[in-house]
Amino acid sequence: MDDVTSFKIDHNKLLRGVYVSRKDPVGSETVTTFDIRMKEPNREPVMDTATMHTLEHLMAVYIRGGSSGWAGRMLYIGPMGCRTGMYLIAKGSLESGDILHMLIECFKYILNFKGPVPYTDLSECGNALDHNLFFAQYESRKFLNEVLLDIRPENLKYPD
Ligand SMILES: [Zn+2]
């Protein structure tokens, strides 16, 4: 099996934060995968699927919208299977600091969002009833206040 960088980091040491998970060449370009880690792995409760689903919708709306500045550069936004965070994949060879301001604005947007959750018609979403705006806002507030607004070097670089 190929080495997968994100499985090789020591999850026992991993804190919440904004990490570069990997950089991959695609043709003549590079794409950067970010690990937006909102929960300490195996050391605190994970988010439930409805919370993550709402985060996915609202992050996509904000980041792909005009005001984020990343509309054409963010290729993918989605939940981690372990439910401790989100993956973002962006065009370019980037560092955590490059998306930090955008992420802060994104979580503020979610925090202040007045429902209903966008794109939750049955024609638009694969599990339209499985959303939880209340807890998506709870988790956004917690991540903002406890991590993003007081970010430290250890929240921006994977542990050695
Ligand atoms: Zn959906």
Side-chain angles (χ1 to χ4, degrees), residues 142-157:
K142 191 171 162 62
F143 190 53
L144 257 180
N145 291 337
E146 296 177 11
V147 182
L148 295 181
L149 294 177
D150 184 27
I151 199 98
R152 291 152 198 272
E154 59 267 33
N155 308 114
L156 292 167
K157 191 175 171 296

Side-chain angles (χ1 to χ4, degrees), residues 45-116:
V46 299
M47 293 180 278
D48 64 30
T49 54
T51 300
M52 298 204 75
H53 190 190
T54 298
L55 283 177
E56 180 197 32
H57 276 227
L58 289 175
M59 288 177 84
V61 165
Y62 178 79
I63 294 171
R64 296 193 192 290
S67 58
S68 77
W70 284 79
R73 290 187 282 165
M74 200 58 77
L75 304 172
Y76 173 78
I77 299 155
M80 292 179 184
C82 60
R83 293 189 276 132
T84 63
M86 307 290 290
Y87 281 121
L88 303 184
I89 302 177
K91 248 191 245 182
S93 176
L94 302 165
E95 303 306 328
S96 298
D98 295 327
I99 62 163
L100 190 59
H101 175 74
M102 181 276 286
L103 275 181
I104 288 172
E105 294 306 313
C106 178
F107 283 107
K108 284 181 180 170
Y109 167 83
I110 294 170
L111 200 49
N112 294 313
F113 190 82
K114 310 274 185 260

